[in-house]
Amino acid sequence: MEGKRMNGTLRQILLMTDGHSNYGEDPVAIARLAQEYDVTVNVIGITDENRENEKGLQEVEAIALAGGGVSEIVFARQLAKTVQMVTRKAMTQTLHGVVNQELKQILGQNDEMEDLPPEKRGQVMEVVDDLGEKVLLEVLVLIDTSASMTNKLPMVQEALLDLSISLNSRSGDTKFSLYSFPGKRNPIERLLDWTPKLQSLTATFTKLSTAGMTPTGPALQAALQVFEERRGKRRLEDDENEQRQGRFGF
């Protein structure tokens, strides 16, 4: 599976929240499940200068650790730079893991990238950087819209627009989708379907309302399902293309 991912797609959930979950499944367990499905979970914990939420911040770190991703706790006014950094750092971290798996198959189970001579390690890092620029990246952005996020959403919107510009400067393709939670009838609500750019965020954010609890676990589970449905649809399309090519002798 790891080798296939190296030549395929990096999938990330970017969870943006300001508080600990208070409803539904354990988000840490769901994040661990996501990693098994080849989806990395990154978490940005948004706080303000007058509020301390130690339990919520601990949960942010635990979710990212279980999901194989990166976590950062930031003030809302510092959000823009952090979102870019977390997403790129997670991408590099995932590629390091993939490369290490490949190296273990070549060098043996007890050897990793850090065990290579400096010159060889530098060459491997160049490969990782090159892959980071070229690989297809899919980012599902999951925004907490519980009541306490009301004053933070304008900064979230600004940060996501910056993220879109930054990641689309890569030579590889990037696709985003945008979901909020809690949804009105489902754990998450789709705000924007898969797209390479997030310019239409402005119209989307004006429709957002904040209220309710913080069902982070069910939201992550539903986001994982979005990836699985997308993967299933892609496999079906690939099969149909292969059959069509075989039928017409392409």
Side-chain angles (χ1 to χ4, degrees):
M1 177 180 294
E2 297 290 343
K4 291 180 181 178
R5 188 170 59 181
M6 196 168 181
N7 296 316
T9 304
L10 291 185
R11 301 175 179 84
Q12 296 187 13
I13 294 173
L14 175 61
L15 170 64
M16 303 175 75
T17 179
D18 73 340
H20 61 82
S21 60
N22 53 23
Y23 182 79
E25 291 86 349
D26 178 7
V28 176
I30 302 299
R32 192 173 297 114
L33 179 66
Q35 194 177 17
E36 293 178 9
Y37 279 85
D38 227 10
V39 177
T40 302
V41 182
N42 305 312
V43 192
I44 295 180
I46 309 169
T47 187
D48 56 46
E49 285 128 52
N50 301 317
R51 181 182 173 200
E52 292 187 0
N53 182 4
E54 189 63 31
K55 185 177 178 182
L57 301 185
Q58 289 175 359
E59 186 180 75
V60 163
E61 295 172 353
I63 293 171
L65 181 63
V70 176
S71 66
E72 284 289 332
I73 309 297
V74 295
F75 294 126
R77 57 182 166 76
Q78 298 173 329
L79 200 54
K81 291 181 180 178
T82 305
V83 170
Q84 290 184 40
M85 181 273 291
V86 164
T87 306
R88 284 188 174 274
K89 187 176 177 182
M91 187 166 59
T92 303
Q93 181 173 290
T94 302
L95 288 169
H96 278 181
V98 174
V99 170
N100 263 331
Q101 289 296 324
E102 298 286 332
L103 287 175
K104 283 181 178 178
Q105 292 185 17
I106 298 171
L107 303 175
Q109 288 299 315
N110 296 324
D111 292 311
E112 297 190 352
M113 192 187 308
E114 289 71 18
D115 301 320
L116 294 174
E119 182 182 353
K120 294 292 184 185
R121 199 185 314 153
Q123 292 174 357
V124 172
M125 290 301 298
E126 288 181 10
V127 172
V128 170
D129 290 342
D130 188 55
L131 282 172
E133 282 298 309
K134 294 179 178 177
V135 72
L136 171 60
L137 176 64
E138 293 182 345
V139 184
L140 188 153
V141 182
L142 189 56
I143 302 174
D144 174 5
T145 54
S146 57
S148 56
M149 284 288 288
T150 302
N151 297 329
K152 304 179 181 76
L153 287 184
M155 276 78 84
V156 171
Q157 178 183 342
E158 180 184 349
L160 292 180
L161 288 173
D162 282 352
L163 176 68
S164 174
I165 294 169
S166 170
L167 292 184
N168 277 302
S169 67
R170 301 166 57 244
S171 57
D173 290 334
T174 304
K175 295 288 180 64
F176 301 94
S177 65
L178 182 65
Y179 287 78
S180 65
F181 72 99
K184 293 178 181 176
R185 296 182 179 83
N186 299 304
I188 59 176
E189 187 165 345
R190 189 175 71 187
L191 304 176
L192 199 62
D193 202 2
W194 294 100
T195 174
K197 297 182 179 179
L198 292 174
Q199 282 87 341
S200 49
L201 270 177
T202 302
T204 303
F205 266 69
T206 57
K207 299 174 184 175
L208 276 181
S209 59
T210 52
M213 304 178 78
T214 311
T216 308
L220 284 173
Q221 194 168 33
L224 184 57
Q225 184 62 32
V226 171
F227 272 114
E228 285 303 293
E229 290 173 357
R230 181 171 174 79
R231 183 155 25 197
K233 183 178 179 182
R234 184 175 294 154
R235 284 174 182 158
L236 184 61
E237 290 174 349
D238 289 345
D239 289 344
E240 289 177 350
N241 287 334
E242 286 181 9
Q243 290 177 7
R244 193 177 299 114
Q245 289 171 5
R247 190 180 309 141
F248 293 103
F250 290 162

